[in-house]
Amino acid sequence: MKRYILEACVDSAESALEAAAGGADRLELCANLIIGGTTPEQGLYEKVRELTDTRIHVLIRPRYGDFLYTEHEFDIIARSVALFRELKADGVVVGCLLPEGSLDMERMKALMEAAGPMSVTLHRAFDMCRDPYEALEGAKELGIRTILTSGQKGCCMEGKELIAGLVRESGSKVDIMAGGGVDASVIRRMIPATGACCFHMSGKTVLDSGMAYRKEQVSMGVPGLGEYEILRTDRKNIRAARQALDEAST
């Protein structure tokens, strides 16, 4: 019987609790999910660790944007990996590219050494690589356990052909984890189409702020997103995805 893995990406303690209650196997913990995620602060990690025994993989990404990092940015990434290893995170989620679009193998090797016994996931820097199969071989060489990918498309359903090819080529060395637009219905279509056994989702819903007094003419947030809208994981969405995976396993 195949073992199907469901990872929930969360950026708050509340979302982490919802994901765990819904049946997620592990959490990708980040900050600022609205911009694709950045490195979470230590306090958030410690709070989530207090609240749940679900595995935690920490996203290490110092800023929004591309994955070509300056010396200072890379030093911050390496320090963050070392910090979360010291804090006993179960894994880290990292990725560095060279200007021509290939994996920065030298820097990735340094991060693998810094991670030590932690599981390492190559995040969606993979989706910005020039040659995904070359990047897959690089990940195998590095000993990376998981690659998170949408198949180099806007969502995993659009990238399903590449994901299927990556699953075939990965063998048992690397788990290909489909992400981007994942929900229960997508999982039911992606499993037979790709053979993927790992899925990544936020399961988020939009909540209204509890603020009674609202200064509508001033915005502190992201353009296009209401100042009084909160994105949070909903356990019902996670539970539905968990059910789809459990059905597939039997």
Side-chain angles (χ1 to χ4, degrees):
M1 183 172 65
K2 282 189 176 181
R3 171 62 173 156
Y4 290 91
I5 301 296
L6 181 61
E7 178 178 274
C9 51
V10 300
D11 60 0
S12 68
E14 291 80 7
S15 285
L17 282 172
E18 286 289 302
D25 295 290
R26 65 177 180 240
L27 309 174
E28 182 197 74
L29 185 64
C30 64
N32 302 309
L33 191 52
I34 190 64
I35 55 170
T38 56
T39 307
E41 62 184 76
Q42 179 177 340
L44 175 58
Y45 168 81
E46 291 176 336
K47 186 61 180 179
V48 172
R49 183 76 293 165
E50 288 173 11
L51 293 171
T52 176
D53 58 3
T54 304
R55 287 179 61 86
I56 301 175
H57 289 192
V58 180
L59 176 66
I60 309 296
R61 185 183 180 214
R63 58 162 171 78
Y64 169 79
D66 65 31
F67 304 101
L68 178 64
Y69 295 113
T70 67
E71 291 295 329
H72 296 313
E73 289 172 335
F74 180 70
D75 184 50
I76 292 167
I77 291 169
R79 291 183 186 209
S80 296
V81 171
L83 170 64
F84 286 105
R85 176 180 177 179
E86 183 179 346
L87 293 171
K88 302 188 185 307
D90 298 291
V92 287
V93 185
V94 296
C96 300
L97 300 183
L98 292 171
E100 67 271 19
S102 59
L103 279 182
D104 188 332
M105 293 294 286
E106 182 178 349
R107 283 181 165 182
M108 291 299 295
K109 285 177 183 175
L111 295 179
M112 293 297 294
E113 291 175 3
M118 292 189 294
S119 176
V120 176
T121 296
L122 172 59
H123 58 41
R124 291 186 64 194
F126 178 88
D127 283 329
M128 308 304 285
C129 285
R130 173 179 45 80
D131 184 336
Y133 289 102
E134 178 185 76
L136 172 60
E137 293 306 311
K140 289 180 182 178
E141 180 183 333
L142 290 163
I144 287 171
R145 184 60 235 169
T146 303
I147 294 174
L148 170 61
T149 179
S150 62
Q152 298 199 331
K153 299 291 185 180
C155 67
C156 65
M157 281 299 297
E158 293 175 358
K160 64 181 183 297
E161 291 184 7
L162 176 57
I163 292 173
L166 293 168
V167 170
R168 287 193 299 270
E169 293 297 320
S170 65
S172 59
K173 291 187 176 180
V174 183
D175 291 331
I176 304 301
M177 181 164 58
V182 170
D183 60 17
S185 66
V186 167
I187 287 171
R188 290 188 173 95
R189 287 178 283 170
M190 284 290 290
I191 289 175
T194 67
C197 295
C198 299
F199 292 88
H200 171 97
M201 66 183 293
S202 66
K204 60 183 177 293
T205 190
V206 180
L207 303 178
D208 190 45
S209 167
M211 286 294 297
Y213 174 75
R214 303 188 178 195
K215 186 76 74 173
E216 300 287 357
Q217 66 270 35
V218 179
S219 177
M220 303 290 178
V222 177
L225 181 69
E227 188 71 19
Y228 299 101
E229 294 177 337
I230 299 169
L231 298 180
R232 185 171 296 163
T233 298
D234 188 329
R235 72 180 66 187
K236 294 193 296 295
N237 295 332
I238 302 297
R239 187 175 294 122
R242 175 81 269 160
Q243 182 178 352
L245 293 175
D246 290 344
E247 289 169 0
S249 71
T250 56

